[in-house]
Amino acid sequence: MTEERYRIYSHMTKSRFLHVEDALNIGKLRLFGGEYVKGKGATVLAWHYLDIEDARVLLSDLAWGKPVNYTEYKGSTNGGQAVSRVLKIKTNGDKTWFTLENGPGEVIGEGAVKPAGEPEAMVNVPFNVWDARRLAFTVLAHLDAWTVITFKSRVLAQN
């Protein structure tokens, strides 16, 4: 069965895209990016799952145009194979770059995965200040709505 994902925000350039998708049922946002050639489809795809708590801080800084320099390492195992997923968000001058890297990983500790070699897929998606702010405010509004809607059930589940 294919998992349905609600797309909160999409950013497209002439050759790259970044989608922010709702994965709040597992406490995360899914960032899904790629490179494509018009009329030929995607040539590179990569994704990363960002925890809600981290997303709120990053998105708040982006929403107000603050410079960001953030790197997060995550991963998973699939059929015994470790997969590394790295997210980098870096402001450089008047651009903010979202970089997604997926590739071979090595399990360290309890479920932690670090990159093992070069990424097999890497996508860099540029945003100007306005577009980064627009993405951030849109996704924060979605998170706020989700918080309000699920607040009572989450509080009751904790008690």
Side-chain angles (χ1 to χ4, degrees):
M1 184 171 107
T2 307
E3 182 181 337
E4 292 288 326
R5 292 188 182 90
Y6 173 76
R7 189 164 293 160
I8 303 166
Y9 193 87
S10 291
H11 176 74
M12 306 279 293
T13 70
K14 290 182 180 181
S15 62
R16 301 172 197 163
F17 66 87
L18 180 72
H19 302 308
V20 180
E21 299 173 335
D22 183 318
L24 297 172
N25 59 319
I26 59 171
K28 301 180 186 294
L29 293 172
R30 182 176 186 254
L31 304 178
F32 176 60
E35 294 182 5
Y36 64 93
V37 176
K38 189 174 181 177
K40 295 185 180 180
T43 57
V44 178
L45 298 173
W47 58 92
H48 188 86
Y49 287 88
L50 180 62
D51 292 327
I52 295 169
E53 295 81 6
D54 297 327
R56 285 187 190 279
V57 175
L58 284 166
L59 294 169
S60 292
D61 285 350
L62 286 172
W64 292 105
K66 292 183 181 179
V68 173
N69 186 2
Y70 181 78
T71 302
E72 178 177 273
Y73 299 91
K74 290 207 174 153
S76 60
T77 54
N78 187 6
Q81 293 281 78
V83 177
S84 168
R85 291 187 181 75
V86 180
L87 169 66
K88 298 176 185 175
I89 304 173
K90 183 170 177 61
T91 302
N92 187 0
D94 64 344
K95 295 275 188 204
T96 297
W97 293 86
F98 280 70
T99 304
L100 304 170
E101 299 176 358
N102 293 172
E106 177 185 335
V107 176
I108 56 171
E110 269 189 51
V113 178
K114 74 174 188 175
E118 295 298 314
E120 294 170 349
M122 182 170 73
V123 179
N124 287 310
V125 184
F127 286 74
N128 63 36
V129 174
W130 178 260
D131 288 335
R133 292 184 71 208
R134 191 166 65 170
L135 173 146
F137 275 113
T138 301
V139 177
L140 283 169
H142 182 84
L143 289 176
D144 288 346
W146 174 80
T147 300
V148 169
I149 291 168
T150 61
F151 180 75
K152 186 175 180 180
S153 62
R154 287 184 292 120
V155 169
L156 291 175
Q158 290 177 353
N159 293 330

